[in-house]
Amino acid sequence: MDFVGAYSPDNLRFLTEGLKITLYVAAVSIVLSFVFGTIVGTIRYMKVPILSPILAVIVETLRNLPLLLIIFFIQFALPEIGFKFTVTAGVITALTLFEAAMISEIVRAGLTSIPKGQTEAARSSGLGVLQTLIHIVLPQGLRRMVPPLVSQFISLLKDTSLAVIVALAELMHNAQIVMAQNHQYPIPILLLIAVVYFVINYTLSLLSRRLEARTV
Amino acid sequence: MLDFSILTEHFPDYMAGFLNTIKASVFALIGSFILGTIIAVMRISKYRVLRAVGAVYVEFIRNIPILIVVLFFFLGLPSLGVRLDGFTAGTLGLTVYTAAFIAEAIRAGIQSVPQGQSEAARSSGMSYMQTMQHVILPQAIKLVIPPLSNQFINLIKNSSVLTIVAGLDLMYFADIISSDTYVTFSTYIFAAAFYLVLTLPLSFAALALEKRLARSA
Amino acid sequence: MKKRSKKMSSALLAGIVSVTALLSACTSTGGGTSASGGSTDAAASQLDAIKERGTLVVGVKYDTKLFGLKDPASGDVEGFDIDMAHALAKSILGDESKVELKEVTSKTRIPMLNNGDIDMVIATMTITDARKKEVDFSDVYFQAGQSLLVKKGSSITGIDDVTADTTIMAAKGATSIDNIEAKVPGVKVLQFDNYQDAFNALKAGQGDALTTDDAILYGMAAQDPNYEVVGEPFSDEPYGIAIKKGETTLVEAVNKGLADLKSDGQYNEIYKKWIGKEPVTN
């Protein structure tokens, strides 16, 4: 094990470049998958005819496939039927689809947990279906969803590392290039990037716990 | 659009990968259940050191990508003199990673058994181990089964990282088939179907189980 | 028992087929019917598209020393293939800086080319009959041969020492896999996503030798002096520049560029810069 050589300034700079891509891809995917996941989860909660069962099939399919396969499929199989993506866009699309499917289930469960009595009361006091949803159900539901949502975001951040298979220049990809310099480098480099992922994700989970404590 | 000759001509390849994916997932499930139980018991132990070790394990592993764990076994261990092939390294990586999640599920299960029960068992003369074995764990298991079945589905999906260490799993064989035939779309659609044949029934079973347990509770 | 397993596997097959039908139904509703997205709507040739865009988008390796390697120190991608890309940009667009590099691996380069992500592949790619059905190739721009990389002191000193018990590392989608399987029937080949992964695995002792073209192996040996290339090359690996099928004007432009590079001595300069000797003229 050669920690000094592995942690040379050049290598660290190179890894930082990778980390930037990781954070960028994760941040964009988190926002997109939250938006789509909330929409899909709400539609399924409201049991919108036609749309709801179609979304159910799509969500179940995506949730039950390996993300690695989805990433590769979007990048290299979808273009065969006319959808093209750059590597970054392809990875963001794959992450968004997969995580939105997961998030929609969290949202649906969160909304379902709001007691029926509340929606009925709101409706009988003259609020419309959408108004009830927006003013009564969603705000309460979202609050309950904070912990599972954050842990899903953490999963997403970890999952960006799977983009190595389409050669996206993120943290894991750059780590593999550095590791190839010397056979004494894998343990120091793996340890370093593990700590980087850990610090980011653990901070996120601490934030979520504080948020949870405040809202309850 | 779909080229079924890919499936018929490469069926033995798909099967080989499919079986290895099942093998890796089952081995890892058993391994991570054992390891996860040990860590869960450590986390609620009365010794601070054990509790700390358990907590560090769970928090650290849960917050890093599975690929790092797998690469540690595949690329890292050899520099310490231990060499494992891709399948073994991958399965061990899956085990160590999943154990952290299972440990949390089991801990939640154990802690949901009312304190009074263990006090009653202890006062009736049972030892700590006996209380765990005969009173707490059997009840905890019931609560743990739904999250455990979800972890099994995750294991099957996560086992696809074996392809990165040439672990001969389903994804690896799909890569090989598409490299050989230059057919991407059909190759991966069939691979996806193989995964779904495993995960969809499990998903539905887990859901049904959850509903039944919720009703009986 | 046998009957039962046959029954089970046919049940499985039926399951696969029905799930697949469902999957493809989902994707085709969104996908439209056009089989290839790029070629139908592009009535103009790829060459015109390049000229209009003003940049040449080239797929190269980022993990192959001497041909295309991303240097962590400078952040630049460097190598023989990169210099060829710049020289061709000068020939086609009149400016050698008008190049956009994109990383490819042996597994991803043909899909990326066919999907229109890149104009051409200059990535240690051997011209083979099977590949000619998928893509078009330029004239040969580099003559390589397959060889073996081992840890110094290995008992393997050439292809003759490779037996069915030997474990060989290779990259997914590389021709070297077919070659070595033909030479040594039953040899165990482990395939990785790129050469860095394969080299990492060799260093970790996961196999006995790494096989690919000698030119790439010399680059690896230069990276880590504990490893050496052994034996004579046991195959011909003529490298070509891959271009999307049917883009004949682009192939012609590239071939003209290559011929000019060779006649004005620039090719020899690039060759000497990376390989360290004059190219063998045949």
Side-chain angles (χ1 to χ4, degrees):
Chain A
M1 268 176 278
D2 179 0
F3 282 87
V4 179
Y7 296 168
S8 77
D10 284 338
N11 286 349
L12 293 183
R13 188 163 1 101
F14 189 56
L15 291 174
T16 312
E17 259 173 53
L19 177 62
K20 279 185 204 155
I21 307 263
T22 293
L23 292 177
Y24 168 75
V25 167
V28 174
S29 309
I30 282 175
V31 172
L32 290 178
S33 60
F34 177 66
V35 171
F36 286 115
T38 308
I39 294 171
V40 172
T42 311
I43 291 174
R44 290 195 63 198
Y45 162 75
M46 294 175 71
K47 300 206 170 72
V48 178
I50 306 169
L51 211 52
S52 202
I54 294 174
L55 288 174
V57 172
I58 296 175
V59 165
E60 282 310 315
T61 307
L62 287 170
R63 262 169 25 107
N64 283 291
L65 285 174
L67 178 57
L68 204 59
L69 192 145
I70 298 176
I71 292 175
F72 199 82
F73 191 83
I74 286 194
Q75 201 69 60
F76 296 118
L78 279 195
E80 286 184 11
I81 56 166
F83 293 98
K84 285 181 207 165
F85 302 91
T86 63
V87 171
T88 314
V91 169
I92 289 175
T93 309
L95 283 170
T96 301
L97 279 176
F98 181 78
E99 310 289 347
M102 300 299 222
I103 288 172
S104 76
E105 287 295 277
I106 295 172
V107 170
R108 193 164 67 110
L111 296 179
T112 315
S113 72
I114 306 296
K116 267 257 154 59
Q118 288 199 22
T119 50
E120 278 158 13
R123 290 300 304 283
S124 63
S125 76
L127 286 178
V129 178
L130 266 181
Q131 282 171 316
T132 309
L133 184 75
I134 291 168
H135 297 292
I136 310 290
V137 183
L138 268 178
Q140 293 187 66
L142 283 174
R143 216 169 295 152
R144 291 181 192 200
M145 293 166 214
V146 168
L149 276 180
V150 173
S151 75
Q152 196 58 45
F153 295 155
I154 291 173
S155 293
L156 191 155
L157 211 140
K158 294 190 290 179
D159 288 341
T160 56
S161 63
L162 298 176
V164 281
I165 59 150
V166 289
L168 178 71
E170 43 73 59
L171 183 56
M172 183 61 94
H173 170 273
N174 286 8
Q176 280 185 307
I177 289 187
V178 172
M179 284 192 284
Q181 291 168 352
N182 187 302
H183 66 287
Q184 296 293 344
Y185 285 5
I187 288 186
I189 293 297
L190 287 173
L191 204 62
L192 177 68
I193 63 168
V195 168
V196 170
Y197 281 109
F198 172 76
V199 168
I200 298 168
N201 288 330
Y202 193 64
T203 312
L204 273 176
S205 73
L206 287 184
L207 277 176
S208 133
R209 272 174 224 175
R210 277 186 61 178
L211 214 67
E212 198 186 349
R214 201 183 307 163
T215 49
V216 169
Chain B
M1 189 168 66
L2 262 188
D3 183 354
F4 274 94
S5 71
I6 293 285
L7 180 63
T8 48
E9 273 169 35
H10 295 272
F11 193 66
D13 292 332
Y14 276 118
M15 274 314 277
F18 184 65
L19 291 178
N20 277 335
T21 288
I22 296 175
K23 252 203 277 184
S25 309
V26 170
F27 286 158
L29 182 71
I30 297 167
S32 57
F33 182 69
I34 296 168
L35 187 57
T37 309
I38 294 170
I39 290 159
V41 172
M42 276 167 80
R43 287 209 68 181
I44 53 165
S45 130
K46 52 188 170 185
Y47 302 105
R48 218 163 79 201
V49 182
L50 288 183
R51 281 207 307 271
V53 172
V56 168
Y57 181 96
V58 167
E59 290 300 344
F60 190 69
I61 298 289
R62 280 206 306 178
N63 284 302
I64 65 173
I66 184 168
L67 195 50
I68 293 186
V69 184
V70 170
L71 286 178
F72 174 80
F73 281 106
F74 190 68
L75 296 177
L77 277 192
S79 67
L80 303 174
V82 183
R83 193 164 299 141
L84 305 167
D85 64 38
F87 179 81
T88 314
T91 308
L92 267 178
L94 282 170
T95 305
V96 165
Y97 181 78
T98 312
F101 294 87
I102 289 183
E104 281 307 271
I106 292 177
R107 182 175 73 119
I110 292 174
Q111 285 179 335
S112 69
V113 178
Q115 193 88 50
Q117 288 197 23
S118 78
E119 277 159 18
R122 292 300 295 277
S123 65
S124 75
M126 280 182 158
S127 73
Y128 175 75
M129 284 308 277
Q130 281 172 323
T131 311
M132 266 291 159
Q133 204 184 333
H134 298 293
V135 180
I136 311 288
L137 283 181
Q139 295 188 67
I141 291 294
K142 256 184 231 159
L143 282 157
V144 168
I145 285 175
L148 214 59
S149 50
N150 282 325
Q151 283 308 324
F152 188 45
I153 297 164
N154 283 339
L155 256 177
I156 294 169
K157 295 193 289 175
N158 285 339
S159 68
S160 58
V161 299
L162 261 69
T163 185
I164 291 173
V165 293
L168 310 182
D169 68 313
L170 182 49
M171 188 72 185
Y172 177 83
F173 277 98
D175 288 346
I176 305 292
I177 294 166
S178 78
S179 301
D180 280 352
T181 58
Y182 304 106
V183 176
T184 311
F185 186 83
S186 300
T187 303
Y188 286 95
I189 284 276
F190 293 130
F194 271 97
Y195 277 110
L196 289 178
V197 159
L198 279 181
T199 52
L200 274 181
L202 275 171
S203 263
F204 290 132
L207 203 68
L209 201 72
E210 227 166 298
K211 276 189 182 149
R212 225 177 77 188
L213 286 173
R215 232 178 302 145
S216 71
Chain C
M1 190 64 199
K2 212 172 185 180
K3 210 169 167 188
R4 206 174 126 213
S5 73
K6 206 169 177 185
K7 220 170 167 181
M8 265 176 67
S9 81
S10 61
L12 182 63
L13 197 62
I16 298 290
V17 171
S18 52
V19 177
T20 322
L22 205 83
L23 272 180
S24 60
C26 292
T27 42
S28 63
T29 46
T33 45
S34 104
S36 55
S39 56
T40 43
D41 55 86
S45 75
Q46 189 88 7
L47 183 59
D48 294 334
I50 293 166
K51 284 183 174 159
E52 196 165 311
R53 192 191 314 132
T55 46
L56 190 62
V57 185
V58 184
V60 297
K61 298 270 182 79
Y62 276 26
D63 69 338
T64 309
K65 200 168 164 102
L66 303 184
F67 283 86
L69 181 73
K70 177 140 181 159
D71 180 7
S74 63
D76 292 334
V77 190
E78 298 162 344
F80 187 93
D81 286 341
I82 314 304
D83 286 359
M84 292 304 290
H86 286 291
L88 285 175
K90 182 156 194 193
S91 155
I92 293 171
L93 296 167
D95 184 346
E96 63 170 21
S97 68
K98 301 284 188 205
V99 174
E100 188 189 332
L101 299 175
K102 282 197 179 167
E103 179 173 5
V104 298
T105 66
S106 297
K107 190 172 109 188
T108 66
R109 60 193 168 192
I110 289 183
M112 283 183 79
L113 184 65
N114 284 337
N115 297 345
D117 293 329
I118 45 183
D119 296 320
M120 57 183 66
V121 174
I122 314 183
T124 65
M125 189 166 177
T126 306
I127 303 171
T128 66
D129 288 339
R131 283 181 185 158
K132 276 187 196 160
K133 287 181 195 144
E134 300 298 316
V135 297
D136 286 340
F137 279 105
S138 71
D139 296 336
V140 176
Y141 75 93
F142 189 91
Q143 185 62 51
Q146 189 174 345
S147 203
L148 296 166
L149 181 77
V150 297
K151 197 177 167 88
K152 274 185 184 159
S154 161
S155 61
I156 296 171
T157 58
I159 183 68
D160 296 337
D161 296 328
V162 176
T163 67
D165 296 326
T166 314
T167 302
I168 300 283
M169 341 289 271
K172 282 172 190 165
T175 46
S176 41
I177 299 157
D178 299 334
N179 289 341
I180 198 137
E181 280 175 344
K183 286 252 186 240
V184 188
V187 65
K188 208 173 152 210
V189 181
L190 292 178
Q191 304 183 34
F192 294 86
D193 286 283
N194 56 51
Y195 288 117
Q196 292 296 25
D197 288 0
F199 193 25
N200 279 337
L202 177 71
K203 287 177 181 177
Q206 299 289 353
D208 306 301
L210 195 161
T211 191
T212 183
D213 310 333
D214 51 0
I216 301 172
L217 295 179
Y218 281 115
M220 290 179 181
Q223 225 176 348
D224 191 331
N226 295 314
Y227 292 82
E228 61 180 350
V229 182
V230 290
E232 288 294 307
F234 52 89
S235 76
D236 276 336
E237 303 291 332
Y239 289 171
I241 295 168
I243 288 156
K244 196 170 184 173
K245 198 132 200 70
E247 296 292 342
T248 31
T249 50
L250 185 55
V251 175
E252 281 160 14
V254 167
N255 281 341
K256 185 182 169 298
L258 283 176
D260 291 346
L261 286 177
K262 282 187 180 166
S263 63
D264 70 7
Q266 210 185 330
Y267 177 83
N268 282 21
E269 261 173 51
I270 296 174
Y271 196 101
K272 229 177 138 178
K273 175 178 163 195
W274 294 105
I275 312 302
K277 57 183 182 192
E278 297 279 343
V280 190
T281 42
N282 34 348

